[in-house]
Amino acid sequence: MDFQDVVRRRRMVRSYDPDRPVPPDVVERIVHNGLRAPSAGFSQGWGFLVLDNPADIARFRDAVRPEEGPENWFAARVESPLLIVPHSNKDAYLDRYAQPDKGFVDRSDAWWPAPYWDIDTGMASLLMLLTAVDAGLGACFFGMPVDRIDAFREAFGVPPQFTPIGAISIGYSDEPPRDLRNRRRPVDEVVHRGRWS
């Protein structure tokens, strides 16, 4: 299957077959491919928490479930055989760019045009999503309530320098296929050639 086939099949899945775990070799391939993502200065300022048993996934739901409006958060009701929580580590980038070959010894983030620690972790997450789809799985990247991040950190022993940017649910889809082509924005609305307008 080529890249275009993977992109055509890609869709966010929120309902998974609870009786079909993701095989360990597929989990390893998903993680391995994510770790090959590009990173600014080869900083690799990321960390990934892999949850692949029902008790850990239940603990995740409990940790991120807000008291008000939990039904508004997929994180609070996710049921999948595999969750991967990608974390970014800003300090890894500031430390890397303070080295002699980069020269930003003050470790300031003021000159960064965008938070590459989050961007690079997002790129790694996308590679994991594409690998999952390539393996015939469904997957969904979703957000976590910001006011539950401390509870999540405590539940899983996440060091303070690592910040979750979301989570990825993965499993065998339990949803009927959907065609979302008519909801995609037209190319000429989002791609600008030579000049924005």
Side-chain angles (χ1 to χ4, degrees), residues 47-49 60 64 73 75 83-88 118 121-122 125 140-145 149 152 163-169:
F48 301 91
L49 178 63
F60 173 87
V64 301
W73 289 94
L83 276 179
I84 300 175
V85 185
H87 298 73
S88 66
D118 294 334
T121 305
S125 300
C140 181
F141 184 93
F142 59 91
M144 296 166 50
I149 288 177
F152 163 78
T163 302
I165 66 162
I168 306 166
S169 60

Side-chain angles (χ1 to χ4, degrees), residues 61-73 76 145 147-148 151:
R61 284 193 307 268
D62 290 343
V64 301
R65 183 177 292 114
E67 290 183 24
E68 291 185 31
E71 68 281 354
N72 296 328
W73 289 94
D147 63 342
R148 299 302 301 164

Side-chain angles (χ1 to χ4, degrees), residues 55-125:
D56 285 339
I57 292 166
R59 187 160 38 115
F60 173 87
R61 284 193 307 268
D62 290 343
V64 301
R65 183 177 292 114
E67 290 183 24
E68 291 185 31
E71 68 281 354
N72 296 328
W73 289 94
F74 179 62
R77 61 184 190 285
V78 63
E79 300 251 1
S80 67
L82 174 62
L83 276 179
I84 300 175
V85 185
H87 298 73
S88 66
N89 180 353
K90 178 180 178 178
D91 288 340
Y93 287 76
L94 300 183
D95 292 343
R96 170 66 183 102
Y97 277 79
Q99 293 177 2
D101 64 321
K102 298 295 184 186
F104 292 92
V105 294
D106 62 357
R107 295 186 76 253
S108 173
D109 65 356
W111 64 270
W112 289 82
Y116 277 81
W117 36 94
D118 294 334
I119 292 169
D120 292 349
T121 305
M123 287 187 197
S125 300

